[in-house]
Amino acid sequence: MNDTRCPDCAVTMEETTLRSQDGFSLTINTGKRSGLLGKLGVGSTTGVDAVCCPECGLVRLYADLE
Ligand SMILES: [Zn+2]
């Protein structure tokens, strides 16, 4: 993950891991969409990378497209 800045605070956001209470990594469904993710050829589900702002607590999710 590249250096990601909070859009509100302009500080570097820290990578974090998003998991369910059962300990499973969260995924997003992309399989039957015709939008951007479908065009990128992503499979039916993909993982997400999370970054969290240490100042305001904003969490951003990025689909793992590679
Ligand atoms: Zn922030």
Side-chain angles (χ1 to χ4, degrees):
M1 185 72 56
N2 295 326
D3 192 40
T4 304
R5 291 185 181 279
C6 177
D8 294 329
C9 312
V11 299
T12 299
M13 298 177 79
E14 299 175 356
E15 280 189 58
T16 185
T17 303
L18 200 66
R19 291 188 189 282
S20 72
Q21 285 192 316
D22 295 331
F24 293 104
S25 295
L26 298 184
T27 60
I28 58 172
N29 293 321
T30 59
K32 293 179 180 171
R33 304 274 177 85
S34 57
L36 178 63
L37 291 174
K39 289 174 183 170
L40 291 173
V42 178
S44 58
T45 63
T46 189
V48 290
D49 294 323
V51 292
C52 181
C53 174
E55 292 290 328
C56 70
L58 176 72
V59 175
R60 280 187 139 181
L61 299 178
Y62 290 87
D64 188 5
L65 298 177
E66 295 298 326

